[in-house]
Amino acid sequence: MQIGLGLAVLAGPCLSPALADKIENPVAVFAGLDKITGRITSFDVYIGETVQFGALQVTPRVCNTRPQTENPQTTSFVQVDEITLNNEVRRIFSGWMFAASPGLHAVEHPVYDVWLTDCSQTSTVAPPEGYSGPPVQVVEESADTLGAGAPVAPDAAAAPLDAVAVPVPRPKPPLF
């Protein structure tokens, strides 16, 4: 009896899911759909900064990821306000968004949809004045943010579109 209880106490921490350290990122990456034009736009927003997408104002408060050795889980606490036709600001969303489940916690508006796609340590957009969040590395738009940060070779930039390799998105984790 005592051996079984001792093993259960020792194995208890092993059976619970591991809580990996969260990585706080200075930039939240969103995608927005304009339902009128059918155009999807990807945009970076610094933590605490407010960016306008159509009639929506998007403000991420925190954006967390896990280390690459863990299952990916990208989350952000976001507040979204709508500017009405009367120039009134109305909060339409305040909560957590999960990049792995964009349809579950996205902002659905009659004209615009906004969802979290990623969190990043780098951005092609300079931080706003007075930015006091986590440190960020500003990269050129043509730089490889996943590799060594080297700019794209001039030959690749001049190549026709069908000769350029299309990046493959990372696989999404299974939904349990």
Side-chain angles (χ1 to χ4, degrees), residues 17 26 30 34 43 48 56 63 79 85 96-97 120 122 129 149 152:
F30 293 95
D34 181 338
F43 54 97
L56 303 180
C63 200
Q79 295 174 323
L85 294 175
W96 289 94
M97 288 188 178
S120 180
T122 62
E129 279 188 41
V152 175

Side-chain angles (χ1 to χ4, degrees), residues 2-168:
Q2 290 179 347
I3 293 173
L5 183 60
L7 288 176
V9 169
L10 291 175
C14 298
L15 297 177
S16 66
L19 298 174
D21 292 334
K22 293 183 221 173
I23 299 172
E24 289 190 26
N25 297 280
V27 179
V29 181
F30 293 95
L33 169 65
D34 181 338
K35 295 178 185 177
I36 304 297
T37 64
R39 187 172 295 170
I40 296 176
T41 304
S42 177
F43 54 97
D44 295 354
V45 185
Y46 283 86
I47 301 304
E49 177 187 26
T50 300
V51 171
Q52 188 155 347
F53 176 72
L56 303 180
Q57 293 181 333
V58 180
T59 308
R61 298 296 178 191
V62 67
C63 200
N64 296 323
T65 55
R66 287 187 180 173
Q68 290 182 347
T69 56
E70 300 290 327
N71 285 337
Q73 182 172 345
T74 304
T75 59
S76 181
F77 187 82
V78 183
Q79 295 174 323
V80 180
D81 298 322
E82 176 188 27
I83 300 175
T84 65
L85 294 175
N86 300 333
N87 274 342
E88 297 173 358
V89 178
R90 180 174 56 125
R91 172 93 11 111
I92 61 170
F93 181 84
S94 183
W96 289 94
M97 288 188 178
F98 302 93
S101 304
L104 191 61
H105 295 280
V107 175
E108 295 180 8
H109 181 268
V111 180
Y112 305 103
D113 287 351
V114 175
W115 62 95
L116 177 71
T117 59
D118 202 1
C119 294
S120 180
Q121 295 285 330
T122 62
S123 178
T124 57
V125 179
E129 279 188 41
Y131 173 72
S132 61
V136 65
Q137 177 185 1
V138 178
V139 295
E140 295 180 26
E141 199 158 331
S142 62
D144 176 17
T145 58
L146 296 177
V152 175
D155 298 342
L161 185 58
D162 52 340
V164 177
V166 177
V168 179

